[in-house]
Amino acid sequence: MPPSTWNTAKAKVQNLLSVQRLRIAQQKKEAHAKGSRRDIALLLEKGKTESARVKVEAVINEDVNLELYELLELYCELLIARFGLLDQNTRDPDPGISEGVCSIIHAAPRTEVKELLILRDMLMHKYGRDFSVAAMENRSGCVSERIMRKLVIETPSEELVDGYLGEIAKAYSVKWASASSITAAAQGSNVKDGATGSDTLESLPLYSQEISNKLPDILLTEDETEKPKVSAGGKSNQAEFSKEEAEDEFAVLARRFEELKKR
């Protein structure tokens, strides 16, 4: 390993090397993940769901590790872009690069990139033991929260595993559905089948319910329909009926009057 003492030219070159190696490592991980997804699709096609679930957890962890590499690459590029701040003769980094320096010191040991480890040693030598220990322990929260989340080791949730399996099955045109989705679909069909007439009426819009409530309970017969109805418009029907009666009486009186004239 080359000496880790601070040298401006070497530090700049080491930053560039770290970026290149991080990109190469990401490409290798992406190629490996693609092969693993293909294997998982074959397992799903053969019905070996449990084996696929175990294998997909490794893929999820690799994806998290890949995101860690991407973040570290961005911080290395930040140090290159702001190298003037990095090259200042101070015991504490400038606020513009402090998060990047702390993140590299804290997370570099979790990678397999030797160039990044050398850069880490150079940064620790430049800023001293106290700052380096504080960054490794993240005492003041100087390390990026995104970096800290990627470093957490935990078992993927069942929902996340099902989501990965569903996307892999869709990408490779494999017919597969998780047990939770099948159960939810079955419950939904049971609810539909068990719907009663009252439930159907309740599900209607309000105006449909109003119409249904206004419908008569017993249908009228033909004889009843021929009879005059007394309802909201009953007054007008009665008026017309009275008018007809008055006209008949007038006709009778007129006929009697004509008969009297003849006598």
Side-chain angles (χ1 to χ4, degrees):
M1 180 181 294
S4 58
T5 56
W6 182 256
N7 182 286
T8 300
K10 289 182 179 180
K12 185 175 290 187
V13 171
Q14 200 62 41
N15 258 303
L16 293 170
L17 288 174
S18 298
V19 171
Q20 293 176 1
R21 294 299 181 185
L22 284 168
R23 288 177 182 171
I24 293 172
Q26 291 174 52
Q27 292 172 0
K28 290 181 179 179
K29 287 181 176 295
E30 288 173 355
H32 183 266
K34 186 175 182 181
S36 298
R37 287 184 173 87
R38 191 182 300 109
D39 295 339
I40 292 170
L42 291 174
L43 290 173
L44 291 176
E45 191 174 13
K46 294 177 181 178
K48 299 180 179 180
T49 305
E50 292 304 320
S51 299
R53 295 182 72 86
V54 173
K55 199 171 183 64
V56 84
E57 289 187 9
V59 172
I60 294 172
N61 292 330
E62 280 297 318
D63 283 353
V64 174
N65 200 20
L66 182 63
E67 293 174 2
L68 173 64
Y69 278 49
E70 291 175 354
L71 291 172
L72 290 173
E73 179 191 344
L74 288 175
Y75 281 124
C76 288
E77 291 179 343
L78 176 68
L79 295 184
I80 294 172
R82 300 177 180 178
F83 192 79
L85 298 176
L86 182 64
D87 198 35
Q88 291 177 351
N89 188 19
T90 57
R91 298 303 296 175
D92 293 319
D94 186 273
I97 59 172
S98 178
E99 185 175 275
V101 172
C102 291
S103 298
I104 291 173
I105 292 175
H106 185 86
R110 296 285 295 273
T111 68
E112 301 171 355
V113 181
K114 295 180 180 180
E115 288 77 9
L116 188 64
L117 292 172
I118 296 173
L119 177 62
R120 174 180 182 265
D121 290 340
M122 296 175 72
L123 293 173
M124 292 173 66
H125 181 271
K126 175 176 176 60
Y127 293 110
R129 182 179 180 278
D130 293 339
F131 176 83
S132 300
V133 172
M136 286 187 286
E137 297 177 357
N138 193 25
R139 289 178 186 171
S140 58
C142 63
V143 181
S144 168
E145 291 184 4
R146 295 175 65 189
I147 291 284
M148 295 301 297
R149 287 198 297 268
K150 304 306 175 186
L151 295 175
V152 175
I153 301 175
E154 59 184 0
T155 303
S157 64
E158 185 177 352
E159 292 79 7
L160 183 59
V161 171
D162 288 340
Y164 261 74
L165 290 175
E167 289 299 320
I168 291 172
K170 184 179 178 181
Y172 289 91
S173 302
V174 177
K175 292 184 179 180
W176 179 86
S178 63
S180 58
S181 62
I182 294 174
T183 304
Q187 291 176 352
S189 62
N190 291 337
V191 170
K192 282 186 177 181
D193 295 339
T196 60
S198 60
D199 295 335
T200 305
L201 182 60
E202 290 178 358
S203 63
L204 290 172
L206 291 176
Y207 63 85
S208 300
Q209 295 182 24
E210 292 175 358
I211 294 174
S212 301
N213 294 333
K214 291 179 181 179
L215 291 176
D217 295 334
I218 302 176
L219 297 176
L220 297 176
T221 61
E222 294 182 357
D223 297 337
E224 291 173 337
T225 56
E226 293 176 358
K227 294 180 179 180
K229 299 178 182 178
V230 180
S231 58
K235 292 183 179 180
S236 59
N237 294 336
Q238 290 178 357
E240 291 177 2
F241 187 72
S242 301
K243 187 177 180 180
E244 291 176 357
E245 289 181 347
E247 290 177 354
D248 293 340
E249 291 176 358
F250 180 78
V252 172
L253 289 173
R255 187 167 54 252
R256 291 178 61 187
F257 183 72
E258 290 294 333
E259 290 177 355
L260 289 173
K261 287 174 68 177
K262 291 180 181 179
R263 292 178 183 175

